[in-house]
Amino acid sequence: MKVSDKFLKFLLKPPIWLCAVVWTIGVVSLGGSLTLYFVGLGGKLWALSVHIVALVFFILSTYGVLTVIGIPAKAKNNVRVRQFFSEYNFRAHVNAAISLIFNLCYVVFGIVIANLEQSVWLGALVGYHVFLMIPRFTVIYLAKIRGRSADEQASPEIAERNRLRRSIQGYTYCGLALILLALAVIPIIRLTLDDQNSYNYFVSAVIYIISAALFTFVKLGIAIFHMKKSRRNGDLSLIAVKNISFSSALISLFTLQAMMLKDLDGGDAGLAARLNPITGVAVVLAILAIGLYMLIGGFKKLKRLPSTDEPDTSEPSIDESTTEQENSQ
């Protein structure tokens, strides 16, 4: 048996003694984390390690319960699960759907908190997530939901042509949505320049900013990598999904810079006044450029497509034309 197969078997069904150890550490660390909050020490810097251990072992404990029930082993044989791990296109759209759900949850949560806190800044972030939902929903709906039943009844050629048309439509509409997203980011940049961006740090500002920096640069690196990979794939709906992720990463980069200039070393107001407008304008222009490129390119591709009712008028290959001449003779 290969090492990878042994490792997969171990992940699907770890020994019960290991699960017991994980559960014990999980219960103790979670109890310690909650106790620190009850005694008023949960926000201390040294308490961060307890919170991290509690979170990690809570996740591992939950997974341990699932392995005992046998859910991972059953899921391994599911068609959709195998498709997720084997098809890059399908996996990218699933990740986009998960991001869409996260944006929706943030909007619901943010509306409540923004009203309770009477915070314009939180309201602006809610608006940003709303406009980030629009391109993701558009691409997922057109690429994976709309017209599925009609495609099952149509011939393979017409179904493929319809899927291609919807993919190009999703790419085009996503370009328009990114233009709107760039406009929606302007209030966030304006509030940042007016020093009205407020953050409630769970731990110290240094720890929070380091974590945000790590997340932002990983997110940006992954977005750039997948942008190149999706362009080699050639699927326009996939390219649209990755362009959305890249645009979101650019906005996170601007937000990170604003936090660093505001909170590290007491904040350098002069440097922030110079860098934040430059970075903000650059981010908006970059997203606008991506959106315009997708919108214009998508319209051009749609014009070149034949209608769904027209037959395929592509020229026959050399072999086909030769065969037709021989038959006519």
Side-chain angles (χ1 to χ4, degrees):
M1 184 181 292
K2 296 181 180 179
V3 176
S4 58
D5 294 336
K6 290 182 179 179
F7 182 66
L8 179 61
K9 184 179 178 180
F10 171 79
L11 289 178
L12 295 176
K13 194 69 175 178
I16 191 66
W17 65 264
L18 181 60
C19 292
V21 171
V22 169
W23 293 331
T24 302
I25 299 176
V27 170
V28 172
S29 59
L30 182 60
S33 178
L34 294 176
T35 302
L36 289 175
Y37 277 109
F38 277 115
V39 299
L41 299 175
K44 298 294 184 180
L45 181 60
W46 57 266
L48 178 63
S49 58
V50 180
H51 302 321
I52 293 175
V53 171
L55 176 61
V56 170
F57 278 91
F58 174 77
I59 296 173
L60 292 176
S61 298
T62 304
Y63 180 75
V65 173
L66 295 178
T67 59
V68 171
I69 299 174
I71 291 179
K74 294 177 182 177
K76 176 192 168 196
N77 299 321
N78 185 274
V79 176
R80 291 297 185 185
V81 173
R82 291 202 303 267
Q83 187 179 11
F84 177 83
F85 287 102
S86 61
E87 295 183 15
Y88 174 69
N89 190 307
F90 180 77
R91 184 166 62 252
H93 283 92
V94 170
N95 291 334
I98 294 173
S99 299
L100 178 62
I101 295 173
F102 168 79
N103 293 139
L104 179 60
C105 293
Y106 187 95
V107 168
V108 174
F109 176 78
I111 289 174
V112 175
I113 300 301
N115 280 282
L116 291 176
E117 298 289 335
Q118 294 296 304
S119 172
V120 178
W121 169 252
L122 292 177
L125 292 180
V126 169
Y128 158 68
H129 279 273
V130 169
F131 280 95
L132 191 57
M133 287 170 58
I134 296 174
R136 282 177 171 152
F137 175 79
T138 301
V139 174
I140 293 171
Y141 175 73
L142 290 174
K144 297 298 179 182
I145 300 175
R146 182 183 173 186
R148 180 182 298 176
S149 58
D151 289 345
E152 293 175 353
Q153 300 174 1
S155 64
E157 293 80 7
I158 294 178
E160 181 61 30
R161 195 186 307 175
N162 289 339
R163 282 192 291 269
L164 177 60
R165 178 176 292 276
R166 290 196 301 272
S167 176
I168 298 176
Q169 287 175 341
Y171 178 84
T172 307
Y173 299 154
C174 178
L176 177 60
L178 285 181
I179 294 174
L180 296 177
L181 177 65
L183 299 178
V185 174
I186 294 177
I188 295 177
I189 296 174
R190 180 64 185 178
L191 289 172
T192 302
L193 298 181
D194 292 341
D195 198 26
Q196 297 184 32
N197 52 322
S198 57
Y199 301 94
N200 294 320
Y201 297 115
F202 175 67
V203 291
S204 69
V206 175
I207 297 297
Y208 186 91
I209 290 175
I210 290 174
S211 302
L214 180 63
F215 172 77
T216 299
F217 286 113
V218 169
K219 180 180 179 181
L220 184 61
I222 292 175
I224 294 174
F225 172 76
H226 284 296
M227 277 184 70
K228 295 179 179 179
K229 190 174 181 179
S230 63
R231 294 186 186 283
R232 291 197 299 267
N233 183 282
D235 186 339
L236 289 181
S237 65
L238 183 61
I239 294 174
V241 166
K242 297 310 174 184
N243 284 349
I244 298 168
S245 298
F246 179 70
S247 300
S248 176
L250 289 180
I251 297 169
S252 298
L253 190 64
F254 168 77
T255 306
L256 171 65
Q257 175 189 285
M259 285 192 298
M260 293 176 66
L261 293 177
K262 180 178 181 180
D263 293 303
L264 292 184
D265 293 331
D268 188 338
L271 184 61
R274 293 192 299 272
L275 283 184
N276 285 339
I278 295 174
T279 307
V281 171
V283 167
V284 170
L285 291 179
I287 298 174
L288 276 174
I290 294 172
L292 285 172
Y293 178 83
M294 294 172 65
L295 182 64
I296 296 173
F299 272 125
K300 290 181 179 179
K301 289 179 172 64
L302 284 174
K303 286 183 179 180
R304 291 197 295 265
L305 277 181
S307 65
T308 54
D309 298 329
E310 294 178 4
D312 190 0
T313 57
S314 59
E315 297 182 359
S317 62
I318 298 176
D319 295 336
E320 291 175 345
S321 59
T322 305
T323 304
E324 290 177 358
Q325 290 176 2
E326 291 176 353
N327 291 336
S328 62
Q329 292 176 356

